[in-house]
Amino acid sequence: MSLWTRVPQSGPAPCDRYKHACCARGDDIYLLGGRRQGRLNDFWRYSVASSEWTELDCSSEEAPEQLEEHTMVTHQGFLYVFGGMIDSAYTEGKTSLWLYDIDKKQWARWQGAHSKSAVPVNRWGHSAVVYESAMHVYGGYIDMKGSTQEFWMFDFDCGQWSSLLPPLGDAGPGPRHGHSAVVHRDGMYLYGGLMGLREQSDFWKWNFCSQSWSSVKAFSGPSKLVGHSAVLYEDSMLLFGGGETHSFPKDSLWRFSFTSQTWEKLSTAADASPPARIYHCSTGLGPGFQAKGSTAPSPGPSPRSTEKQDGLRLRPFKNRCFPSAAMQGAIELDTFCIKNGTDGSGRETSSSGAPERGDRLRQPSLRTSGLTVVNREAFGKDSLSVPEDSVVDLLLVIGGKPLSRRASISVWQLTLADL
């Protein structure tokens, strides 16, 4: 049973929005742009441990302008923002790629004019994932052209773009936007989206080793979806929300098992479910969301915590925009941990838990300083304080349409047990 709870927001917080981008690193979630009544260009950091928002500077000439339906990923101490709906006058002759140095709190724009190779033009509604030391961008909507099936790779180490071309005659997803994508081991899994004006329910895998597409045949899965979200959880993919049309969002949570290649719709308690959402952001934290396998980047600590970890060896990372910076360890878009201490290996640990592990999904919880207070009404007894050395997996759904009546952005939390 899926049991959700709204995470209360206090103090300064971003306004509710949709078509924004979120990215997680360490115990922080970064949020950029999106749309409310118009496009937004504010930039925020959310501390999961303290449930506090902090607005970051996004006013420099090198920072992004107003964006929506862009993407944001993280790699070794940097955030990479690509695409979004931007004034054509700005994007003319430029590639819409920005980098944010988390330690220096500094923006830089990738200088495409100095590139000797082809570069992607601006687009929106695309997907972006991290595999090894590169960002992979698929599809999107290009002004005056419509949906595209272009597939690009941005190499973090050399700072160059390259186009990925599947073998001649290889069938693939085709032109689309508004889809989702996650990385599992040696593959990128892409679901749904729009092809022109038609919503899709097809499921594809890109094999990074063979550089080829294959259709994933799985029955009884989600319907046609656009504007949904997907995250990697253990050996499965969790897919939430979206809709068959823009006007009818869903609140369904689906799980696809990479092991059995089957879909499962997770049931939701009638009195403990989030509202239907489309064009929201989902992100996961906890050990179950950490990428596994030799091809995935190694999880790393929060930049604010590495200063306290004596003897930590950091792998040098070259970046054309900030060549002199010594970078921190990397965590993919859908992986991070809450910091309330460190374990024996120096990695950050989270503070949370649940009274029982028998249910497929744990009871909802609210986070306080150093403790997790489990929902009283769910158990009909006093609140439970859980020791700090407990570990919990959380799925967060942030923002989305329809907008809530509250001024601050909506944040919903689902606590996961072993699936």
Side-chain angles (χ1 to χ4, degrees):
M1 184 70 67
S2 301
L3 298 174
W4 296 81
T5 182
R6 176 186 288 274
V7 180
Q9 306 297 305
S10 61
C15 64
D16 207 10
R17 65 193 64 201
Y18 60 103
K19 295 184 177 180
H20 48 293
C22 291
C23 185
R25 185 177 188 274
D27 54 6
D28 296 324
I29 298 175
Y30 292 86
L31 180 151
L32 176 67
R35 186 175 190 87
R36 188 171 175 87
Q37 295 177 339
R39 295 176 194 160
L40 303 168
N41 72 331
D42 51 347
F43 184 37
W44 295 80
R45 183 182 67 229
Y46 178 65
S47 171
V48 180
S50 62
S51 295
E52 294 179 346
W53 289 95
T54 302
E55 186 167 14
L56 305 175
D57 181 55
C58 198
S59 61
S60 69
E61 293 184 359
E62 298 299 312
E65 297 190 356
Q66 297 170 338
L67 300 177
E68 62 177 285
E69 291 197 80
H70 48 296
T71 55
M72 180 164 59
V73 302
T74 182
H75 182 73
Q76 295 201 351
F78 287 87
L79 303 179
Y80 292 81
V81 177
F82 178 69
M85 299 178 69
I86 315 169
D87 293 338
S88 58
Y90 177 85
T91 60
E92 184 177 357
K94 299 178 182 179
T95 296
S96 49
L97 175 63
W98 297 268
L99 295 81
Y100 181 75
D101 187 322
I102 294 176
D103 285 345
K104 293 183 177 181
K105 299 181 180 180
Q106 178 182 350
W107 284 101
R109 187 176 65 242
W110 184 77
Q111 301 297 329
H114 303 297
S115 176
K116 298 180 180 179
S117 58
V119 298
V121 298
N122 181 61
R123 65 203 60 212
W124 49 269
H126 53 283
S127 60
V129 299
V130 174
Y131 175 76
E132 294 186 333
S133 60
M135 176 176 68
H136 293 76
V137 175
Y138 185 83
Y141 191 95
I142 300 175
D143 287 338
M144 307 303 293
K145 293 184 179 180
S147 297
T148 180
Q149 60 183 341
E150 293 178 356
F151 195 7
W152 290 89
M153 181 183 75
F154 181 77
D155 190 301
F156 295 129
D157 294 330
C158 66
Q160 294 295 318
W161 288 96
S162 59
S163 178
L164 297 176
L165 300 175
L168 187 64
D170 184 27
R176 70 183 60 209
H177 64 284
H179 54 281
S180 64
V182 302
V183 169
H184 176 66
R185 301 191 186 279
D186 62 351
M188 179 183 77
Y189 291 81
L190 183 150
Y191 188 85
L194 281 168
M195 293 185 70
L197 298 176
R198 301 188 305 275
E199 293 80 8
Q200 304 296 315
S201 60
D202 50 349
F203 195 18
W204 294 86
K205 176 186 177 182
W206 170 261
N207 190 302
F208 289 105
C209 298
S210 64
Q211 298 281 289
S212 62
W213 288 103
S214 61
S215 177
V216 180
K217 302 297 184 182
F219 300 99
S220 301
S223 61
K224 298 177 180 179
L225 288 178
V226 62
H228 53 288
S229 62
V231 297
L232 183 69
Y233 177 65
E234 295 185 339
D235 288 326
S236 63
M237 178 180 73
L238 299 179
L239 188 151
F240 177 78
E244 293 190 37
T245 68
H246 298 269
S247 304
F248 297 98
K250 298 178 178 292
D251 63 356
S252 303
L253 177 63
W254 289 85
R255 170 183 177 256
F256 178 78
S257 170
F258 293 112
T259 303
S260 64
Q261 296 285 291
T262 57
W263 285 102
E264 176 188 6
K265 186 177 182 180
L266 303 180
S267 58
T268 302
D271 58 346
S273 62
R277 283 286 183 261
I278 189 170
Y279 295 118
H280 54 282
C281 286
S282 291
T283 189
L285 61 146
F289 289 96
Q290 295 181 3
K292 300 175 177 63
S294 59
T295 59
S298 299
S302 159
R304 288 179 291 180
S305 66
T306 52
E307 298 175 358
K308 302 178 182 180
Q309 298 184 21
D310 297 334
L312 179 64
R313 300 185 60 132
L314 302 177
R315 183 173 72 85
F317 172 67
K318 297 179 180 179
N319 187 283
R320 296 300 178 87
C321 293
F322 303 98
S324 62
M327 296 300 99
Q328 309 289 346
I331 287 184
E332 285 196 68
L333 173 63
D334 53 6
T335 65
F336 66 97
C337 297
I338 301 175
K339 177 183 179 297
N340 280 305
T342 56
D343 59 17
S345 63
R347 293 180 298 180
E348 297 173 359
T349 59
S350 62
S351 64
S352 188
E356 296 180 8
R357 296 184 57 89
D359 295 337
R360 293 174 70 82
L361 296 169
R362 293 179 184 151
Q363 300 294 342
S365 58
L366 299 180
R367 184 168 303 281
T368 59
S369 301
L371 296 173
T372 293
V373 181
V374 180
N375 190 313
R376 301 182 185 184
E377 296 179 357
F379 294 94
K381 55 184 178 181
D382 293 338
S383 304
L384 286 174
S385 298
V386 183
E388 290 193 10
D389 57 357
S390 300
V391 178
V392 68
D393 292 322
L394 297 175
L395 176 67
L396 297 179
V397 174
I398 303 173
K401 194 175 182 180
L403 299 174
S404 67
R405 296 180 180 179
R406 295 175 173 85
S408 59
I409 194 166
S410 65
V411 180
W412 286 82
Q413 167 186 299
L414 174 65
T415 310
L416 302 172
D418 295 337
L419 295 181

